[in-house]
Amino acid sequence: MNRSRHLLPLGEVTERLRLTGRAYVGVCSIPLAKIIGSVDRACEFDRDFHPQRHDSEARMRALQTAFPDGDFPAISVFEVGGAYFVSDGHHRVALAHERGQEFIEAEVVRLATNYRLPPDVDIPQLVHTELRRMFMEESGLQVVHPDLDISFSSPAGYLELLETVKAHGWELARHLGRLPTPEELGRSWLTEVYQPGLQTLHEAGLSCPHEDATQADSFLWLYQRRRVLWMRGP
């Protein structure tokens, strides 16, 4: 697994993912593998909680002496999307990793979100998630088809695809004689533009020539080629 070697800052995550609530969970046992970030010390440990500062060694040995059986006090964490971010107890997590533990006791506060964070998530993936959320909301698709599988090899794809939705919205408004609702826009674009475009690609055996292209990449490639040809004449 190509796992990021850096801890994620909690602030980076909460800024990019829409939080829907906050709740105190209590003290429970959590998997060390799902602790992927920190509230304020992300640069002081790597993703496996190897200390990056020389003065951490003394703190680690002091903890080892004070708690030889690993029964140290519970750490404090925030949980976001199934992943955990340490607010207190970084060296205890580091020592638990060193001892080969799989779980650690933690006092958990849950920050609710509609997104799941896999253990190998990194900041570029968060950017993708943020832009996909923005695209789904502004296109009306969040209401019409919230589970629609749209992903891009580059995050810029979401912004470019949103432009196709806005262009269709302008034509739809002319046809209706009024501004369409987000639901009307999302349903119309999906059934009259996106799905027919994918069907055309399938029937013609075409796909985006770029490496690692997704289905949405191929649709955008087709849309852009069509626009270039249209500018040359009907």
Side-chain angles (χ1 to χ4, degrees):
M1 178 171 62
N2 184 22
R3 188 181 187 186
S4 169
R5 301 311 307 161
H6 303 287
L7 286 179
L8 282 179
L10 179 61
E12 188 81 36
V13 175
T14 56
E15 180 181 342
R16 298 187 181 282
L17 302 185
R18 177 162 293 175
L19 301 181
T20 58
R22 178 187 180 112
Y24 178 72
V25 177
V27 177
C28 57
S29 183
I30 66 173
L32 282 174
K34 290 189 176 183
I35 302 177
I36 66 171
S38 169
V39 173
D40 56 3
R41 303 180 69 176
C43 63
E44 297 182 25
F45 299 84
D46 69 10
R47 188 63 72 96
D48 292 320
F49 274 84
H50 296 128
Q52 304 299 292
R53 289 176 48 165
H54 297 300
D55 58 1
S56 290
E57 184 66 25
R59 175 63 174 159
M60 294 279 288
R61 300 291 72 85
L63 279 172
Q64 194 168 37
T65 301
F67 305 100
D69 299 323
D71 55 343
F72 31 66
I75 64 172
S76 297
V77 299
F78 289 96
E79 186 232 317
V80 184
Y84 299 94
F85 298 78
V86 180
S87 59
D88 180 63
H90 295 77
H91 288 94
R92 279 168 272 170
V93 176
L95 186 57
H97 270 282
E98 190 176 283
R99 288 172 167 171
Q101 294 177 213
E102 294 185 5
F103 295 88
I104 191 170
E105 291 295 300
E107 185 176 28
V108 180
V109 174
R110 178 172 296 136
L111 304 179
T113 179
N114 294 325
Y115 300 93
R116 303 297 295 175
L117 295 179
D120 60 340
V121 69
D122 55 19
I123 290 177
Q125 288 174 287
L126 287 177
V127 173
H128 271 270
T129 301
E130 178 188 26
L131 290 176
R132 183 185 183 279
R133 173 183 62 79
M134 184 191 73
F135 168 78
M136 293 295 288
E137 291 177 354
E138 294 192 17
S139 66
L141 290 169
Q142 188 62 38
V143 178
V144 175
H145 199 328
D147 298 325
L148 183 65
D149 181 17
I150 289 184
S151 62
F152 286 95
S153 55
S154 168
Y158 296 103
L159 302 177
E160 295 176 27
L161 192 64
L162 186 57
E163 290 302 312
T164 75
V165 179
K166 291 179 178 179
H168 180 71
W170 184 78
E171 291 291 343
L172 182 61
R174 290 182 59 194
H175 173 73
L176 295 174
R178 59 175 173 81
L179 290 176
T181 66
E183 183 176 353
E184 288 174 327
L185 174 58
R187 181 173 288 109
S188 178
W189 179 84
L190 182 63
T191 59
E192 297 178 26
V193 180
Y194 189 66
Q195 290 175 338
L198 294 181
Q199 182 66 26
T200 298
L201 284 165
H202 176 72
E203 292 174 353
L206 295 172
S207 63
C208 178
H210 301 307
E211 188 178 359
D212 301 324
T214 66
Q215 191 177 59
D217 281 319
S218 293
F219 169 83
L220 198 57
W221 170 77
L222 175 67
Y223 188 92
Q224 292 167 340
R225 299 290 77 71
R226 176 181 178 274
R227 183 172 58 190
V228 169
L229 291 173
W230 181 258
M231 291 175 64
R232 294 178 181 175

